[in-house]
């Protein structure tokens, strides 16, 4: 099967960012990081339908770039299982950066007790298993953004 998309991944993400921004242009944004494009887009749509502005990244390197260049990012939601930089590696990089205090929520479809313990040692807000409970996610996000 061929991908006949005329947009590059970067162009698609930029377009997504513009399309998903709520009309109110909330000053705080959520960064969603997942190497699964569909998972990223679903989470972004859920948040945007609830007037939460978000942007997405396909991996740790692009996420770190966005965190360094966009001070409006107030919350990070990341998948756990990604390649080459998994979610725990990304969180460690964030915790060692000037954004060390950023609240982080992990979402994962494949996690074990060791992963949860490692995540809690990295001071994450919560660890949610896929399929995501939308109400729980929205409650956490709104609380962390001061919207609750």
């Amino acid at each position: 099967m061929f991908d006949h998309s005329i947009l590059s991944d970067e162009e698609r993400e930029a377009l997504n960012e513009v399309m998903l921004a709520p009309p109110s242009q909330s000053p705080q944004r959520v960064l969603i990081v997942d190497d699964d494009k569909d998972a990223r887009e679903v989470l972004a749509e859920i948040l945007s339908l609830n007037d939460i502005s978000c942007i997405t990244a396909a991996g740790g390197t692009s996420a770190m770039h966005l965190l360094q260049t966009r001070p409006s990012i107030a919350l990070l939601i990341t998948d756990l299982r990604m390649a080459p930089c998994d979610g725990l590696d990304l969180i460690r990089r964030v915790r060692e950066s000037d954004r060390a205090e950023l609240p982080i929520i992990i979402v994962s479809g494949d996690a074990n007790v060791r992963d949860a313990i490692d995540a809690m040692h990295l001071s994450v807000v919560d660890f949610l298993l896929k399929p995501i409970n939308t109400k729980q996610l929205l409650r956490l996000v709104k609380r962390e953004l001061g919207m609750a």
Side-chain angles (χ1 to χ4, degrees), residues 5-22:
S5 177
I6 59 173
L7 298 176
S8 70
D9 285 342
E10 293 80 18
E11 291 169 326
R12 191 175 295 109
E13 285 190 23
L15 182 59
N16 241 357
E17 181 179 338
V18 171
M19 291 174 56
L20 293 173

Side-chain angles (χ1 to χ4, degrees), residues 97-147:
S97 75
D98 61 342
R99 301 295 305 268
E101 299 301 317
L102 184 72
I104 299 172
I105 298 171
I106 294 177
V107 294
S108 181
D110 176 32
N112 57 42
V113 174
R114 183 76 229 160
D115 293 329
I117 291 170
D118 289 346
M120 292 306 147
H121 283 298
L122 293 169
S123 302
V124 298
V125 171
D126 211 334
F127 194 112
L128 304 177
L129 293 175
K130 294 178 183 177
I132 298 295
N133 175 325
T134 305
K135 287 182 182 179
Q136 181 182 14
L137 175 68
L138 288 170
R139 188 170 46 250
L140 282 170
V141 169
K142 287 181 177 183
R143 183 187 76 204
E144 291 304 314
L145 296 178
M147 299 170 68

Side-chain angles (χ1 to χ4, degrees), residues 51-110:
D51 295 327
I52 299 168
S53 183
C54 53
I55 55 177
T56 63
T61 302
S62 55
M64 288 305 296
H65 173 74
L66 288 168
L67 288 169
Q68 292 166 353
T69 59
R70 307 238 180 148
S72 63
I73 295 172
L75 174 65
L76 172 65
I77 299 175
T78 184
D79 187 23
L80 188 63
R81 302 279 182 241
M82 299 183 293
C85 172
D86 73 12
L88 289 175
D89 289 336
L90 172 60
I91 295 167
R92 285 183 192 101
R93 290 172 59 192
V94 171
R95 294 296 182 237
E96 293 168 357
S97 75
D98 61 342
R99 301 295 305 268
E101 299 301 317
L102 184 72
I104 299 172
I105 298 171
I106 294 177
V107 294
S108 181
D110 176 32

